[in-house]
Amino acid sequence: MDTSTALLTDHYELTMVDAALKAGTANRNSVFELFARRLSGARRYGVVAGTGRLLEAITNFRFGDAELDFLRANNVVSAETIDWLANYRFTGDIWGYPEGEVFFPGSPLITVEASFAEGVILETLALSIMNYDSAVATAASRMVYAANGKPLAEMGSRRTSERSAVAAARAAYIAGFSATSNLEAGRSYGIPTMGTAAHSFTLLHDSEREAFEAQIAAFGPDTTLLVDTYDTEQGVRTAVEVAGTGLGAVRIDSGDLPVVVVEVRELLDSLGATNTRITVTNDLDEHTVAALAASPVDSFGVGTSVVVGSGSPTMGMVYKLVAREDDNGEWVSVAKKSTDKASVGGRKSVRRLHNARGTARAELIYLGDGPGGADEGAEVADSSREVLEHLVIGGEIQPQYVGADGIELARERHRTSVAELPRVAMSLTRGDPAIPTEYR
């Protein structure tokens, strides 16, 4: 993906650079923070996703001739700023919660330390990626827990935009989904893809039997047959007659699923298809998945709900300046004081505190030297762990956080970080964050 990402931003990011260059303040060393003031939908925890995509997007944040010509033609910024943009390369440092990690209100998910101009220009890009991907991953994580170990496939491409569909598949996979229906996600990120047939394939043929015969002829008896186009009971009987008792799976996409699933399982067993699996779709979310988890369902396919964050399509993250150097080279804490929109100034480091059983009990945010500085959490080192990792060093993206390898690392990190949470974190009801955020 070598297309420039430089214009995936808001107009005022560039006009701030323009004004700062003219004022002589553009090169002041600054610290920006991306965080959420609260968890959308009163969730108990959030899941970081999009970090790898953001790092890749920063690599491609370049103003080529086409981008610069657009800015000139529309008089967005001055000629001097056009020249500055032509040479733009991010040369600063970025720390962050690694992808797959859980987070809470106030968690500094991304910390950008650079000149004001280099840092501020990334605001919109960072928020658009992190807000969406983290919302999807948070919803997906809740669904994975609700499924109680049964696999889930993401199949929501037709319910969001074409590029968001790829991002959603990636985020859901990081949070524990096992596959996606989206082929571009498979090509771009190595995510396993799946899919067999829709109702239109059955309707194409003169009978349901002929449709099943055609599918079996193409893919063999281990395929999944969609059995509810006409009558589910008859569909199951026909499926077993055509494929034999070695039929791989049947898919159910309608009806009162808790009741239908039990009936289908009993029917399959009575026909001798005891190893034929049952997969269900039909507008599932974490609540319906939880209701079906104890039933004889073998796997789930989730579409709309996961790609729209199950009712919380954004995490409400913001990107704020929290510190800058003064004329003497000393760091000055800065913060927004607006009602209900206040931020906490200062450079920060983060440790997650655990109890004697290894369960997380607080998010400790230390104000002072910031990430990479002195370990101000040393007094709790025996019962805590450092959260922030150095993602970009001197403008160089650290390779372990991007690509297919970065996704696999994020999946494992998500498994371990969720396992640390107290049981209340898994509640599907609205409530307070699972652990408090404490500033020290």
Side-chain angles (χ1 to χ4, degrees):
M1 297 183 184
D2 56 3
T3 302
S4 171
T5 58
L7 295 186
L8 297 176
T9 191
D10 287 319
H11 185 117
Y12 81 166
E13 311 293 9
L14 302 192
T15 55
M16 281 193 284
V17 171
D18 198 11
L21 287 169
K22 291 173 182 174
T25 54
N27 292 321
R28 281 186 177 175
N29 287 331
S30 302
V31 176
F32 292 88
E33 238 176 57
L34 185 151
F35 62 94
R37 294 189 177 95
R38 59 192 64 85
L39 297 178
S40 296
R43 302 286 169 77
R44 306 304 179 102
Y45 67 96
V47 178
V48 179
T51 311
R53 288 211 307 125
L54 174 60
L55 298 181
E56 292 166 352
I58 290 173
T59 299
N60 295 323
F61 202 88
R62 303 285 188 269
F63 291 85
D65 290 342
E67 290 74 35
L68 296 172
D69 288 345
F70 171 81
L71 298 176
R72 286 192 195 94
N74 290 275
N75 297 312
V76 175
V77 291
S78 66
E80 292 77 13
T81 299
I82 291 285
D83 292 339
W84 185 89
L85 294 172
N87 296 310
Y88 178 84
R89 301 289 187 277
F90 181 78
T91 62
D93 285 74
I94 299 177
W95 288 265
Y97 280 49
E99 201 158 16
E101 182 62 83
V102 297
F103 71 90
F104 304 93
S107 297
L109 306 181
I110 298 290
T111 299
V112 177
E113 187 168 322
S115 70
F116 175 83
E118 282 195 35
V120 75
I121 206 171
L122 298 178
E123 176 183 9
T124 301
L125 182 69
L127 287 172
S128 63
I129 292 174
M130 300 298 292
N131 262 316
Y132 179 72
D133 289 31
S134 296
V136 171
T138 299
S141 179
R142 287 156 56 89
M143 294 173 193
V144 169
Y145 178 80
N148 196 28
K150 296 180 178 181
L152 299 100
E154 182 280 319
M155 40 198 304
S157 294
R158 64 193 66 187
R159 298 293 188 252
T160 187
S161 72
E162 69 279 9
R163 296 308 307 177
S164 294
V166 182
R170 180 184 181 279
Y173 186 65
I174 285 171
F177 274 49
S178 59
T180 178
S181 64
N182 190 283
L183 290 176
E184 185 59 52
R187 180 176 74 161
S188 296
Y189 298 117
I191 300 171
T193 61
M194 49 71 65
T196 50
H199 292 101
S200 59
F201 186 78
T202 300
L203 296 171
L204 168 68
H205 295 81
D206 291 337
S207 69
E208 189 174 54
R209 179 179 295 274
E210 289 183 14
F212 290 169
E213 289 173 343
Q215 189 172 327
I216 295 296
F219 305 116
D222 196 40
T223 191
T224 299
L225 295 178
L226 179 59
V227 295
D228 70 338
T229 302
Y230 303 114
D231 176 82
T232 301
E233 179 181 346
Q234 185 56 52
V236 171
R237 292 183 182 278
T238 302
V240 174
E241 288 173 8
V242 172
T245 56
L247 173 63
V250 295
R251 178 162 75 94
I252 305 168
D253 188 52
S254 60
D256 186 350
L257 290 177
V259 174
V260 173
V261 164
V262 171
E263 293 175 344
V264 168
R265 181 73 271 161
E266 291 175 350
L267 179 56
L268 286 168
D269 291 346
S270 72
L271 296 172
T274 55
N275 293 321
T276 298
R277 302 176 302 278
I278 299 174
T279 187
V280 297
T281 50
N282 189 31
D283 290 331
L284 304 181
D285 61 13
E286 60 266 51
H287 302 284
T288 51
V289 168
L292 288 165
S295 74
V297 170
D298 296 288
S299 62
F300 302 91
V302 185
T304 302
S305 185
V306 69
V307 300
V308 299
S310 192
S312 296
T314 178
M315 293 305 295
M317 297 171 184
V318 294
Y319 185 94
K320 299 299 178 185
L321 182 68
V322 295
R324 61 172 175 80
E325 285 188 351
D326 62 17
D327 293 337
N328 298 317
E330 298 293 327
W331 284 106
V332 177
S333 174
V334 297
K336 184 176 178 179
K337 300 299 183 183
S338 306
T339 303
D340 294 329
K341 289 189 174 183
S343 56
V344 177
R347 303 171 74 224
K348 303 174 181 72
S349 60
V350 184
R351 300 191 73 87
R352 184 161 299 150
L353 184 63
H354 302 89
N355 63 22
R357 297 183 300 278
T359 301
R361 65 183 183 88
E363 195 84 334
L364 307 180
I365 300 181
Y366 292 88
L367 306 177
D369 286 341
D375 183 6
E376 298 180 66
E379 74 275 10
V380 293
D382 290 341
S383 59
S384 70
R385 65 175 175 86
E386 183 69 41
V387 179
L388 298 179
E389 296 186 10
H390 212 164
L391 308 175
V392 180
I393 302 175
E396 295 296 322
I397 306 296
Q398 300 306 288
Q400 66 267 34
Y401 298 108
V402 296
D405 290 343
I407 292 173
E408 290 304 320
L409 184 63
R411 274 172 65 85
E412 178 57 31
R413 185 180 295 108
H414 180 258
R415 283 191 288 268
T416 58
S417 62
V418 168
E420 293 178 351
L421 295 177
R423 187 174 297 275
V424 70
M426 301 304 120
S427 172
L428 298 182
T429 61
R430 297 170 63 91
D432 295 329
I435 63 174
T437 301
E438 300 177 7
Y439 292 90
R440 299 189 176 185

